[in-house]
Amino acid sequence: MSSATIQLAKRVSAQSLRIFSRRKAFQHLSCRQFNEQSCINPGDGLTNEQKLIFETAKDFATNEMEPKMKLWDEEEIFPRDVLQNAAQLGFGAIYCKEDYGGTGLGRLDASIIFEALSTGCVSTTAYISIHNMCAWMIDTFGTKELREKHLPSLASMERFASYCLTEPGSGSDAASISTSAVRKGDKYILNGTKAFISGGGESDVYLVMCRTGDSGPKGISCVLVENGSPGLSFGAKEKKVGWNSQPTRAVIFEDCEVPVSNLIGKEGQGFNIAMDGLNGGRINIASCSLGAAHRSIELARDHVLVRKQFNRTLDSFQNVQFKLAEMATSLIASRLVVRHAAEALQNGAANKVALCSSAKLFATESCSKICSDSLQLFGGYGYLKDYPVQQFWRDIRVHEILEGTNEMMRLLISRNLLST
């Protein structure tokens, strides 16, 4: 290990050092992922500690995820072993407190990690981000007993978690959910169906928004349901355009018995808990889009440097140069708005909801276009599954729909603007 790296490691905070302590190649940490002359350098504006965090995640993505990304997609493999390896680096409970195994980092740190991991596989990283959101909800709103029971195994990803809000008849209108939880003695009896649940059937813990009271948001509570609970079952695995390394199923409750002690927060608090979780989820999914866009630009750049038409490489054509410039500018702007929103969320800013919504809206749409433009630069080759750019394009298309559709993001942003 060089003296410079030793000095840098000494400046890394105690909680962040946990991420690096098990890394076999620690001696090679030198912030080498960052080309400081590049306008799309993801290290711009980051501290040395954050650069090391990014590099750790990027190395993992390059070595453990990217080589298997195509296989996971084609064979719809849920890579439990790789997820658990990621947890060994501290990526299972990134912004949970340390007392029960969390890594204790902030929202910007999490954004950096998800951006880096997504360069290797968007679908797998998106599931990690959902798992982290669930762990945070338990850590923040759960009782000491629930935190003690569940957080250590979630942090290690020995067990996996899923978020259950959407229903067949309740998407953007989340306050209209109908899944019920009726209290009988020391148990809740749940009935209803949740739709489009990432990790459905594979996850061990489900955070379920259900109706314990009257209609509207104040009648909604959050209940933790463990896989194997009586009355819990799952629908068939959905066939999707992307996100194929994580299963998506309906989660079905038929007189499902859950201990009252599994209530997260208080009765009637579930809608607010769900929305608080989604604020972070929107930053997370926008960060996943950043990673896909960054990698797609790199792939397109490398392609146009060698692909020839009319006896010239494509990079010599001005329209290609201008297209790459537009893509780079969109990525830079997206990264700035996402990181700004992450810091606002971490600091509890009064306008955090609007800023998280803006970040999700702008970054997911801009990055989706970047991936589409990258595919276009590949021509017919880009449409072949032998080339990864099409998978990035397929995987991030859904980011404009989930964690609140981008139409709902426009509503939240305008509501803030018109009321202040």
Side-chain angles (χ1 to χ4, degrees):
M1 183 185 297
S2 69
S3 59
T5 303
I6 292 173
Q7 293 303 313
L8 182 57
K10 287 180 179 179
R11 292 197 297 272
V12 177
S13 66
Q15 70 264 29
S16 299
L17 189 58
R18 293 181 65 253
I19 294 179
F20 313 125
S21 62
R22 298 174 187 172
R23 185 168 186 235
K24 295 180 180 179
F26 181 74
Q27 64 269 28
H28 298 303
L29 285 173
S30 58
C31 298
R32 65 187 179 282
Q33 298 288 356
F34 304 103
N35 179 355
E36 294 184 354
Q37 295 181 341
S38 172
C39 63
I40 61 169
N41 172 22
D44 281 348
L46 300 182
T47 65
N48 284 334
E49 177 182 325
Q50 290 167 337
K51 289 178 181 180
L52 288 177
I53 291 171
F54 183 96
E55 181 170 299
T56 300
K58 184 64 171 65
D59 279 355
F60 186 86
T62 300
N63 296 317
E64 300 292 333
M65 298 172 75
E66 189 171 11
K68 304 166 187 174
M69 182 179 85
K70 181 174 183 287
L71 176 67
W72 294 341
D73 175 67
E74 291 180 344
E75 298 189 10
E76 299 185 359
I77 295 171
F78 184 59
R80 284 178 169 269
D81 56 337
V82 174
L83 292 170
Q84 289 166 351
N85 288 341
Q88 291 298 308
L89 294 173
F91 300 158
I94 297 168
Y95 44 95
C96 291
K97 294 183 283 293
E98 295 179 83
D99 53 351
Y100 291 112
T103 307
L105 297 179
R107 298 297 184 137
L108 178 55
D109 303 314
S111 173
I112 293 165
I113 290 167
F114 294 136
E115 177 181 349
L117 292 178
S118 286
T119 63
C121 181
V122 171
S123 171
T124 304
T125 304
Y127 179 78
I128 295 173
S129 80
I130 295 167
H131 172 92
N132 269 268
M133 178 174 68
C134 293
W136 174 82
M137 291 166 67
I138 296 170
D139 188 43
T140 303
F141 300 102
T143 62
K144 180 179 184 297
E145 291 74 21
L146 287 175
R147 295 179 67 241
E148 184 176 15
K149 178 179 179 181
H150 294 287
L151 287 176
S153 59
L154 293 178
S156 67
M157 296 190 99
E158 176 186 346
R159 304 177 81 211
F160 298 102
S162 289
Y163 178 86
C164 301
L165 175 63
T166 302
E167 297 180 0
S170 174
S172 294
D173 186 9
S176 70
I177 63 169
S178 60
T179 295
S180 62
V182 178
R183 183 166 181 170
K184 290 188 177 180
D186 61 352
K187 294 181 179 179
Y188 286 115
I189 307 301
L190 274 64
N191 282 283
T193 300
K194 296 296 182 179
F196 309 125
I197 303 305
S198 296
E202 291 285 348
S203 290
D204 305 281
V205 171
Y206 298 86
L207 296 192
V208 182
M209 309 308 144
C210 48
R211 191 162 298 285
T212 55
D214 296 334
S215 61
K218 293 183 179 179
I220 297 172
S221 299
C222 179
V223 176
L224 186 155
V225 181
E226 295 189 64
N227 203 343
S229 297
L232 174 65
S233 62
F234 306 95
K237 186 163 76 168
E238 305 287 1
K239 303 296 289 184
K240 308 189 297 288
V241 172
W243 272 31
N244 288 319
S245 69
Q246 49 167 297
T248 300
R249 293 183 175 92
V251 179
I252 304 164
F253 308 96
E254 297 173 299
D255 292 330
C256 179
E257 298 182 1
V258 181
V260 170
S261 58
N262 280 17
L263 178 68
I264 302 292
K266 300 177 181 178
E267 282 197 3
Q269 193 182 1
F271 187 80
N272 289 337
I273 292 173
M275 295 303 105
D276 283 347
L278 284 178
N279 286 330
R282 288 162 186 161
I283 296 296
N284 296 345
I285 214 65
S287 303
C288 292
S289 295
L290 294 176
H294 187 105
R295 188 70 184 118
S296 293
I297 289 177
E298 290 180 331
L299 292 168
R301 176 201 61 199
D302 294 347
H303 177 74
V304 301
L305 286 169
V306 297
R307 172 69 170 165
K308 288 186 176 181
Q309 290 292 285
F310 306 101
N311 296 317
R312 298 162 58 189
T313 54
L314 295 185
D315 68 293
S316 66
F317 291 92
Q318 191 176 62
N319 68 309
V320 172
Q321 296 168 4
F322 283 7
K323 177 58 67 177
L324 287 170
E326 291 168 0
M327 293 158 63
T329 302
S330 290
L331 175 60
I332 295 165
S334 296
R335 184 177 283 138
L336 289 172
V337 73
V338 170
R339 292 181 179 180
H340 175 59
E343 290 186 319
L345 181 60
Q346 181 68 35
N347 295 330
N351 58 353
K352 63 184 179 183
V353 173
L355 291 178
C356 291
S357 300
S358 297
K360 198 261 187 185
L361 169 64
F362 186 82
T364 58
E365 292 189 358
S366 297
C367 292
S368 184
K369 186 176 187 305
I370 289 170
C371 292
S372 178
D373 288 343
S374 296
L375 191 155
Q376 187 73 17
L377 288 172
F378 271 84
Y381 292 106
Y383 205 63
L384 302 179
K385 288 195 173 182
D386 293 327
Y387 292 80
V389 67
Q390 51 76 33
Q391 188 173 336
F392 286 116
W393 174 60
R394 285 188 292 111
D395 278 343
I396 72 165
R397 178 59 183 86
V398 74
H399 295 186
E400 298 174 51
I401 299 171
L402 47 76
E403 311 290 36
T405 65
N406 281 8
E407 289 71 26
M408 289 302 298
M409 298 305 100
R410 288 174 167 88
L411 179 64
L412 292 170
I413 297 162
S414 62
R415 182 182 295 168
N416 170 270
L417 185 62
L418 294 169
S419 66
T420 55

